[in-house]
């Protein structure tokens, strides 16, 4: 357990349970249920973005690069004054940016089991879902951000229980690595960056809710 497959299975099962809560509303709309299940599963894989061990990380960045432009489609179109060509161009640049630039920055600056495996990172993932989700329905956005955080939490708890990493190999903790459910790491820079990002997203979410 607590390998890539372990996280995928556990978060997937949680997602099925959490997603089916959306069906209790009884309006026959299965969309939110499946999105919630997907977000829980994705949330369960997210913390290991800091692991440099290859394929799954590339897949996650590939998935994010594809999904984020879709989520931002309406907003970018507004920014581009409804011009389809400009919108497509901006979204393509965004795709390349996430796929290559962001993933590169990420790999260079993160340490496996560093601040990405922490409670503030969990909140960042939840806030990012809340902010990115293209809907005016606050309840639905909260529900989906809960899905991401549930998956993320399942990952942290599994990692905490099993000290085995991403691909099932024994973990050789880096000196910056600590408990998966931590609030601070030994690197003050990583800790500061994490809390600045958290503060910024919380501020944006607060502005959004007014
Ligand atoms: Zn992990």
């Amino acid at each position: 357990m607590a390998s890539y497959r372990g996280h995928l299975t556990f978060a997937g099962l949680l997602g099925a349970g959490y997603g089916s809560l959306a069906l209790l509303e009884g309006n026959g709309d299965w969309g939110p249920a499946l999105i919630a299940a997907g977000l829980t599963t994705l949330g369960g894989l997210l913390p290991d973005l800091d692991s440099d061990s290859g394929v799954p990380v590339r897949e996650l960045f590939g998935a994010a690069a594809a999904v984020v432009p879709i989520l931002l489609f309406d907003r970018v179109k507004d920014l581009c004054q409804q011009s389809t060509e400009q919108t497509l161009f901006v979204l393509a640049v965004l795709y390349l940016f996430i796929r290559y630039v962001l993933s590169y920055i990420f790999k260079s600056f993160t340490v496996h089991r560093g601040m990405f495996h922490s409670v503030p990172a969990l909140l960042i993932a939840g806030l990012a879902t809340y902010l990115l989700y293209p809907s005016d329905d606050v309840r639905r956005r909260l529900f989906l951000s809960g899905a991401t955080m549930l998956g993320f939490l399942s990952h942290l708890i599994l990692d905490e229980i099993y000290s085995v990493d991403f691909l099932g190999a024994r973990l050789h903790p880096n000196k910056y690595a600590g408990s998966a459910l931590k609030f601070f790491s030994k690197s003050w820079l990583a800790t500061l960056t994490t809390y600045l990002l958290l503060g910024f997203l919380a501020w944006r979410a607060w502005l959004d809710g007014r």
Side-chain angles (χ1 to χ4, degrees):
M1 282 292 270
S3 60
Y4 179 63
R5 195 173 294 165
H7 284 305
L8 190 65
T9 311
F10 190 55
L13 286 172
L14 277 175
Y18 187 80
S20 49
L21 289 177
L23 295 176
L24 294 179
E25 284 203 329
N27 57 10
D29 184 0
W30 46 263
L34 286 188
I35 298 275
L39 281 173
T40 308
T41 313
L42 192 67
L45 300 176
L46 270 182
D48 278 342
L49 274 180
D50 63 10
S51 149
D52 292 334
S53 40
V55 183
V57 182
R58 220 167 37 231
E59 269 173 26
L60 283 174
F61 267 102
V67 169
V68 171
I70 294 173
L71 293 179
L72 293 178
F73 184 81
D74 285 340
R75 267 178 248 185
V76 174
K77 198 160 186 185
D78 279 347
L79 278 179
C80 295
Q81 282 139 10
Q82 305 295 322
S83 155
T84 306
E85 291 74 20
Q86 289 183 16
T87 307
L88 286 177
F89 177 76
V90 172
L91 293 178
V93 170
L94 191 63
Y95 172 84
L96 294 173
F97 178 78
I98 296 174
R99 187 90 170 76
Y100 298 104
V101 183
L102 206 62
S103 78
Y104 175 78
I105 295 174
F106 215 90
K107 277 181 206 148
S108 327
F109 286 97
T110 54
V111 163
H112 188 47
R113 279 269 201 137
M115 275 312 274
F116 224 65
H117 282 71
S118 71
V119 175
L122 180 156
L123 298 174
I124 287 173
L127 282 167
T129 308
Y130 179 81
L131 288 168
L132 282 171
Y133 196 71
S135 166
D136 292 327
D137 183 347
V138 173
R139 262 187 74 222
R140 178 159 298 170
R141 288 166 73 188
L142 285 173
F143 177 67
L144 294 176
S145 100
T148 308
M149 289 195 288
L150 178 68
F152 207 108
L153 183 65
S154 81
H155 183 112
L156 298 187
I157 290 175
L158 276 191
D159 272 3
E160 195 64 31
I161 298 173
Y162 301 91
S163 286
V164 178
D165 90 347
F166 209 39
L167 297 170
R170 271 253 147 245
L171 188 70
H172 300 290
N174 181 287
K175 65 175 172 142
Y176 289 125
S179 151
L181 283 158
K182 62 184 163 302
F183 285 87
F184 305 99
S185 83
K186 281 177 201 139
S187 159
W188 66 267
L189 189 63
T191 305
L192 183 69
T193 311
T194 307
Y195 277 93
L196 281 178
L197 184 61
L198 178 60
F200 174 73
L201 293 179
W203 173 66
R204 286 306 309 256
W206 183 72
L207 285 183
D208 221 68
R210 290 199 309 164

